[in-house]
Amino acid sequence: MGYPHNVLANDEQVVLHRHPHWKRLIGAVVVLVLASAVAAFAAAVVNTTDWQSTAKNVLFIVIGAIWLIVVGWLTVWPFLNWWTTHFVITDRRVMYRHGVLTRAGIDIPLARINSVEFRHGLSDRLLRTGTLIIESASQDPLEFHDIPRVERVHSLLYHEVFDTLGSEESPS
């Protein structure tokens, strides 16, 4: 899903658009597999009983409803959160938007960025992800977690900031 271009200025160009790293979805996938296995096992146990078909159908409905609630809450909702979280770098600003039902976001003009850092541990290095830390002129440093290929994003953002500052400060 591309970032909605209607939030960009007329001649603003997207340099980079990322969702959080897929590692945020590992727990959701594990829950999906385990919940499905437990529901299938429970349905198989119910199916082997010699109860009346009405009782079996009621139990199948209960198992299905519990499965839907668990999967919806612990699998679908995290996926929607991941899908609706955007980290965008344009030629003018850094934008971060997140939220499914209620949206929140922040914009940082490139000209106001003082420093750009990244941090990642061993597991993040193996998965090629990390935390990007942006310090702007008027705020405490902002941390953006689980940015895919954080070193590349750090370098790209640093060059965009340098190019922006260089073009504004260079004598014409």
Side-chain angles (χ1 to χ4, degrees):
M1 177 173 132
Y3 191 74
H5 291 279
N6 60 351
V7 299
L8 302 175
N10 289 336
D11 57 346
E12 189 174 14
Q13 298 295 319
V14 173
V15 176
L16 176 86
H17 172 231
R18 294 270 194 262
H19 291 286
H21 195 268
W22 55 263
K23 81 174 189 175
R24 282 195 183 177
L25 299 175
I26 292 173
V29 170
V30 169
V31 167
L32 176 65
V33 170
L34 289 177
S36 298
V38 168
F41 178 76
V45 167
V46 168
N47 198 37
T48 60
T49 62
D50 54 351
W51 297 340
Q52 292 181 358
S53 63
T54 306
K56 284 184 180 182
N57 289 339
V58 168
L59 285 176
F60 289 143
I61 290 171
V62 169
I63 291 168
I66 292 171
W67 180 85
L68 275 175
I69 291 169
V70 168
V71 167
W73 179 35
L74 299 175
T75 299
V76 174
W77 189 255
F79 175 76
L80 290 175
N81 277 319
W82 173 84
W83 188 253
T84 59
T85 300
H86 301 274
F87 180 80
V88 180
I89 299 174
T90 71
D91 55 354
R92 294 184 187 177
R93 59 187 165 157
V94 174
M95 295 183 287
Y96 183 76
R97 303 281 190 276
H98 61 96
V100 178
L101 298 176
T102 59
R103 300 279 296 158
I106 187 167
D107 291 3
I108 307 168
L110 292 179
R112 300 205 41 138
I113 293 176
N114 290 339
S115 69
V116 182
E117 304 172 35
F118 69 90
R119 177 178 61 231
H120 52 186
L122 181 59
S123 62
D124 285 341
R125 290 182 71 190
L126 291 172
L127 294 173
R128 301 171 98 181
T129 184
T131 300
L132 188 68
I133 304 159
I134 299 174
E135 185 177 338
S136 66
S138 64
Q139 298 175 344
D140 292 334
L142 297 170
E143 294 188 4
F144 302 99
H145 301 282
D146 298 327
I147 301 295
R149 298 179 185 250
V150 70
E151 289 184 38
R152 181 176 174 266
V153 173
H154 169 266
S155 176
L156 179 72
L157 182 56
Y158 177 79
H159 288 295
E160 283 295 320
V161 169
F162 180 74
D163 290 345
T164 299
L165 291 177
S167 65
E168 290 177 358
E169 294 177 353
S170 62
S172 300

